Amino acid sequence: MSKAANKIRPLSDRVVVQPREVESKTAGGIVIPDSADKDKPIQGTIIAIGNGKYIEGKLLPLQVKVGDKVLFGKYSGTNIKLDNTEYLVMREEDIMGVLED
């Protein structure tokens, strides 16, 4: 568990994600310019999750868990900085999918 997970507790259906840099080179070693990556999803690891979302008085737990590697849109969430490390806080619905090993 990261140090940031001890410093922030997301509320409701929000999660804290540590983004991971996407490889900007092809397998052959060709560098892809930033302008070509604008619409690609971004990957990251969930480091903290909220309790869930209340719907009609019932608490629905989140479908993701701490440690999941996830895909999300380039403009998803809100950037925060804790201990000189960038994180994103976003709603679970902004997550496109969980990467399986």
Side-chain angles (χ1 to χ4, degrees), residues 61-72:
L62 300 181
Q63 297 178 28
V64 294
K65 62 186 181 306
V66 172
D68 280 351
K69 291 178 180 33
V70 295
L71 288 175
F72 51 91

Side-chain angles (χ1 to χ4, degrees), residues 50-63:
N51 292 333
K53 187 173 187 175
Y54 279 98
I55 297 181
E56 297 179 10
K58 289 188 174 186
L59 180 65
L60 297 176
L62 300 181
Q63 297 178 28

Side-chain angles (χ1 to χ4, degrees), residues 19-35:
R20 185 172 67 101
E21 291 293 322
V22 179
E23 185 66 38
S24 61
K25 284 187 180 181
T26 64
I30 298 171
V31 176
I32 301 171
D34 288 340
S35 60

Side-chain angles (χ1 to χ4, degrees), residues 2 10 94:
S2 74
D94 292 334

Side-chain angles (χ1 to χ4, degrees), residues 32-40 74:
I32 301 171
D34 288 340
S35 60
D37 285 342
K38 292 243 188 257
D39 295 330
K40 279 190 170 181
K74 183 154 186 96

Side-chain angles (χ1 to χ4, degrees), residues 13 71-73 75-78 89-97:
D13 63 335
L71 288 175
F72 51 91
Y75 301 106
S76 298
T78 301
V89 178
M90 68 181 71
R91 292 192 178 276
E92 182 185 37
E93 65 191 26
D94 292 334
I95 296 172
M96 292 186 227

